[in-house]
Amino acid sequence: MYRTKNCGELRIEDVNQEVVLSGWVQRKRDKGGMIWIDLRDRYGLTQLVFEEGKDDDAIIKKLDNIGREFVLKIVGIVIERFSKNPDLPTGDIEIRVKELHILSKSATPPFTIEDNTDGGEDLRMKYRYLDIRRKPVRDKLVLRHKMAQAVRRFLDTQDFIEVETPYLIKSTPEGARDFIVPSRMHTGTFYALPQSPQTFKQLLMVGGIDKYFQIVKCFRDEDLRADRQPEFTQIDCEMSFVTQDEVLTQFEGLVQYLFKEVKGINVNTPFVRMPYTEAMERYGNDKPDLRFGMEIKNISQAAQGKGFQVFDSVEYIGGICANNCAEYTRKQIDELIEFVKRPQIGAKGLVYVKYNSDGSFKSSVDKFFDKDTFNQWAEIIEAKPGDLMLILAGDKNKTLTQLSELRIEMGNRLDLRKPNEFKPLWVTDFPLLEWDDETQRFYAMHHPFTSPKPEDITLMESNPANVRANAYDMVINGVEVGGGSIRIFDTDLQQRMFNLLGFTEDEAKAQFGFLMDAFTYGAPPHGGIAFGFDRLCALFGGTESIRDYIAFPKNNTGRDVMIDAPATVSVEQLKELSLSIYKQTE
Ligand code: ASP
């Protein structure tokens, strides 16, 4: 038998018990005749104690050869510790070892396997199996497991059925590039890996499975931005015979349940529901962080026509109020100016107005504006004496985006983004389409199966840019955790949508004939959502990186540095697939 107990469970009540433990050597300490080993497994650490002269010589001798990460099995007696360690659950006891077996040796690990490691990210990814031995990493995988279990429990009680959908499918244009897989049996043809199970879950609705979910891998061959993975996991859901409101209620219920079950936190429902245009006006962003106010205010009217050329020549002037920051120093203001001028943000400059506690104003544009004007701005921006107004001007959409970045920066500086506070909301009524200047065509903002709002359908051909969709995102603390829509379930409307996206009837048939056909056999009204599961875990775990919550993630160039993928394949494999590699030359 390898173990009767694990390394995390022995307590003072267990003293005098004989136990068998197995685990890894976390550390060995030798203090002149006394030797201690911390033995580690998934459950914790237990201290083993050895004493020269008192313990069997053969055992003491064996210890010489034992190093970090050796795998041991021991048989011993639980004894009370002389100096207890209150930080360790097993800190009251230690084991006097009677039998010691080395089950496996270990090379010196490339980094220390402790909570705070000296290993850099690359090294830890190359030896991810060693990284996983560290408690902080293991805890994140445990959190993920708990989340997945809770999702299944909740959706099961709500009559959802978990159905698997295929990974080898046909390309579905959902905005990203597909990963493709050559077929050996059908020379010259390819499968694509799903960007999401979108069309399949819709077909399940046509199939009468009126509540579907799946915790499922999705694949998108995108240039990787921070916090993206080429394969990631969704909690994918779809329902029939539902209105948008019912979908939102159902899934805020799921998220409320997860908060309660996994974090013991109560979040109130219904979540705030905010139309896209309102989110953009008030926060400059379609995923606003509602943990703090500092809303963006439009001061264009109150700021133009006073002879300040920079303001007079632009489309939009907006500001935010940083409470109690009127005493910001020159250096602090300069930092903010540097911040907005960063190329990623791209503002030309920043106007500040300090609303001093004595009621006077001090600003970078004193020359152009009088006290009355500043008072007017303060009223709009909701600044009080002691506050600092920060103002940006330019093209409306760009300026709103820049103000949104500045707002987040100020939120961070003022410590307003509390890690243990959660403020979820739904952003609704997204535009159906997005115009792309480069290719001179519309793209679906969500995906081609999203339904326009019924009252906007008449605008589809005359004013497509203004058509709103029955689409929604769930946003928590500035993070988009999920998104979905009510779907088109009518062949003609779907065809009109494809037309807007530039598909001819034949092209649409070739690509989506199966879905359009299905709609001709009695399709129920339906809609759904998908949550980014990795991201949801990261949000619950309180860290930024989704990579931490994936057991074997890819690095930021899409490589798995541990197994060394992607990699070349043999000429024989290529031949079987009737493929040859051609090198692109300039
Ligand atoms: N399939 C969509 C996505 O992956 C989600 C949905 O519309 O349900 O974004």
Side-chain angles (χ1 to χ4, degrees):
M1 199 192 272
Y2 286 111
R3 51 185 177 181
T4 55
K5 295 284 177 185
N6 66 49
C7 294
E9 68 178 316
L10 292 169
R11 300 288 182 270
I12 193 79
E13 304 80 70
D14 300 306
V15 165
N16 291 332
Q17 240 195 76
E18 181 173 291
V19 293
V20 185
L21 298 179
S22 290
W24 286 263
V25 174
Q26 169 97 3
R27 217 176 323 144
K28 188 174 82 174
R29 281 161 297 145
D30 191 335
K31 278 210 182 128
M34 294 288 283
I35 300 149
W36 291 274
I37 284 179
D38 286 342
L39 197 67
R40 175 197 349 105
D41 67 10
R42 203 184 115 190
Y43 307 92
L45 287 179
T46 296
Q47 178 166 291
L48 315 178
V49 60
F50 305 87
E51 202 174 339
E52 266 174 49
K54 202 162 162 191
D55 287 318
D56 186 347
D57 277 352
I59 293 187
I60 301 288
K61 189 128 200 54
K62 254 192 208 167
L63 293 177
D64 286 345
N65 303 319
I66 290 175
R68 278 179 181 263
E69 302 309 316
F70 273 50
V71 183
L72 308 182
K73 172 187 143 180
I74 61 100
V75 181
I77 304 290
V78 183
I79 58 171
E80 183 170 357
R81 265 208 220 184
F82 178 65
S83 57
K84 302 198 165 52
N85 178 355
D87 297 334
L88 207 63
T90 61
D92 286 346
I93 58 97
E94 57 193 356
I95 312 289
R96 171 129 256 144
V97 176
K98 295 191 341 193
E99 252 181 63
L100 172 72
H101 305 274
I102 298 175
L103 300 179
S104 184
K105 292 182 188 171
S106 172
T108 308
F111 50 86
T112 52
I113 299 180
E114 298 196 354
D115 291 5
N116 289 314
T117 177
D118 55 359
E121 169 104 3
D122 287 350
L123 202 58
R124 290 192 293 110
M125 288 306 145
K126 184 161 162 59
Y127 299 93
R128 183 65 166 168
Y129 47 88
L130 295 181
D131 202 25
I132 291 173
R133 287 186 195 166
R134 296 172 51 234
K135 186 171 183 322
V137 179
R138 191 171 63 239
D139 284 350
K140 293 190 173 81
L141 296 182
V142 171
L143 176 90
R144 185 183 175 108
H145 160 78
K146 284 196 178 140
M147 300 270 289
Q149 296 307 309
V151 166
R152 292 200 162 97
R153 245 186 343 262
F154 178 82
L155 292 176
D156 182 50
T157 62
Q158 305 283 308
D159 286 335
F160 281 79
I161 302 177
E162 186 164 14
V163 183
E164 287 169 85
T165 51
Y167 281 162
L168 294 176
I169 67 165
K170 192 167 77 165
S171 192
T172 52
E174 287 190 46
R177 200 176 290 113
D178 288 320
F179 279 102
I180 57 170
V181 181
S183 159
R184 178 184 56 82
M185 290 198 287
H186 305 277
T187 309
T189 63
F190 298 84
Y191 300 101
L193 301 179
Q195 293 181 33
S196 83
Q198 184 61 38
T199 49
F200 288 96
K201 66 176 172 175
Q202 293 192 242
L203 292 170
L204 286 170
M205 295 305 112
V206 180
I209 304 294
D210 65 353
K211 289 180 175 185
Y212 142 93
F213 87 101
Q214 184 180 193
I215 297 181
V216 64
K217 274 289 176 75
C218 301
F219 307 87
R220 297 184 188 175
D221 186 7
E222 293 174 297
D223 293 337
L224 295 178
R225 281 185 268 145
D227 219 23
R228 286 274 168 94
Q229 286 277 309
E231 53 177 305
F232 60 96
T233 305
Q234 286 187 343
I235 309 168
D236 190 45
C237 312
E238 196 77 6
M239 303 170 80
S240 292
F241 306 115
V242 280
T243 60
Q244 171 165 315
D245 228 43
E246 286 167 307
V247 176
L248 303 193
T249 303
Q250 178 71 72
F251 292 104
E252 64 195 14
L254 168 65
V255 169
Q256 183 183 45
Y257 179 81
L258 290 177
F259 271 111
K260 185 79 203 153
E261 286 285 295
V262 180
K263 289 191 75 75
I265 290 178
N266 291 311
V267 294
N268 293 330
T269 51
F271 293 175
V272 169
R273 293 167 194 200
M274 191 182 294
Y276 169 85
T277 45
E278 187 184 328
M280 294 308 286
E281 289 281 343
R282 290 172 60 188
Y283 300 96
N285 198 314
D286 60 6
K287 33 181 189 290
D289 185 344
L290 298 192
R291 280 173 298 179
F292 65 111
M294 212 187 279
E295 288 185 27
I296 298 170
K297 304 287 176 173
N298 181 349
I299 60 160
S300 307
Q301 284 219 337
Q304 288 182 315
K306 315 265 178 186
F308 182 42
Q309 180 53 32
V310 176
F311 280 4
D312 289 347
S313 61
V314 297
E315 181 187 10
Y316 174 89
I317 304 152
I320 55 173
C321 170
N323 291 132
N324 304 318
C325 291
E327 308 213 323
Y328 256 34
T329 59
R330 184 71 238 171
K331 181 165 167 277
Q332 285 171 303
I333 298 274
D334 283 345
E335 279 169 10
L336 294 179
I337 297 175
E338 284 306 304
F339 175 81
V340 298
K341 283 183 163 174
R342 283 183 197 175
Q344 314 91 286
I345 300 191
K348 294 222 177 66
L350 169 72
V351 168
Y352 71 87
V353 184
K354 292 176 171 177
Y355 194 170
N356 298 319
S357 22
D358 63 5
S360 66
F361 292 96
K362 172 85 196 90
S363 90
S364 49
V365 289
D366 281 341
K367 267 195 280 179
F368 302 94
F369 302 98
D370 55 18
K371 190 168 177 200
D372 279 352
T373 311
F374 286 145
N375 262 320
Q376 234 182 320
W377 295 3
E379 199 166 311
I380 301 171
I381 297 178
E382 292 172 12
K384 308 171 307 310
D387 292 345
L388 172 70
M389 294 186 268
L390 297 169
I391 295 162
L392 294 176
D395 169 76
K396 182 168 179 186
N397 290 335
K398 270 197 196 135
T399 307
L400 281 170
T401 308
Q402 293 160 355
L403 280 164
S404 149
E405 299 280 353
L406 182 60
R407 176 178 173 271
I408 295 295
E409 170 69 13
M410 290 311 296
N412 287 336
R413 280 173 180 250
L414 301 177
D415 217 8
L416 302 173
R417 307 179 75 206
K418 301 276 182 239
N420 277 321
E421 198 182 337
F422 295 93
K423 283 285 167 71
L425 78 150
W426 291 105
V427 177
T428 62
D429 300 356
F430 279 85
L432 183 70
L433 302 163
E434 228 173 354
W435 178 257
D436 180 56
D437 269 338
E438 206 173 299
T439 48
Q440 289 287 303
R441 52 158 280 208
F442 281 111
Y443 286 86
M445 186 135 174
H446 188 48
H447 52 56
F449 318 107
T450 292
S451 152
K453 285 187 106 52
E455 61 268 37
D456 290 359
I457 289 180
T458 49
L459 301 176
M460 279 178 79
E461 284 77 21
S462 60
N463 190 357
N466 278 354
V467 177
R468 291 164 305 160
N470 269 332
Y472 35 80
D473 278 354
M474 188 191 286
V475 175
I476 305 178
N477 295 359
V479 178
E480 180 205 320
V481 296
S485 60
I486 297 297
R487 325 297 183 188
I488 296 169
F489 66 102
D490 168 81
T491 315
D492 293 337
L493 188 57
Q494 187 65 68
Q495 183 59 56
R496 277 169 75 186
M497 180 69 178
F498 285 138
N499 290 346
L500 284 180
L501 299 176
F503 287 85
T504 64
E505 214 158 307
D506 286 345
E507 281 166 345
K509 252 215 166 64
Q511 221 166 357
F512 297 110
F514 62 96
L515 186 67
M516 314 258 272
D517 278 351
F519 286 169
T520 66
Y521 292 98
H526 59 285
I529 190 167
F531 292 93
F533 185 55
D534 313 286
R535 186 155 299 153
L536 200 62
C537 292
L539 181 85
F540 271 59
T543 57
E544 299 256 304
S545 167
I546 65 169
R547 230 181 279 175
D548 293 351
Y549 294 83
I550 297 173
F552 298 105
K554 309 270 187 287
N555 74 6
N556 55 9
T557 66
R559 291 196 68 81
D560 183 325
V561 292
M562 182 181 64
I563 62 170
D564 197 19
T568 51
V569 295
S570 68
V571 175
E572 287 68 36
Q573 283 171 297
L574 286 177
K575 265 195 191 147
E576 274 181 345
L577 296 164
S578 305
L579 289 179
S580 70
I581 305 288
Y582 90 99
K583 290 223 161 54
Q584 231 163 350
T585 47
E586 282 304 308

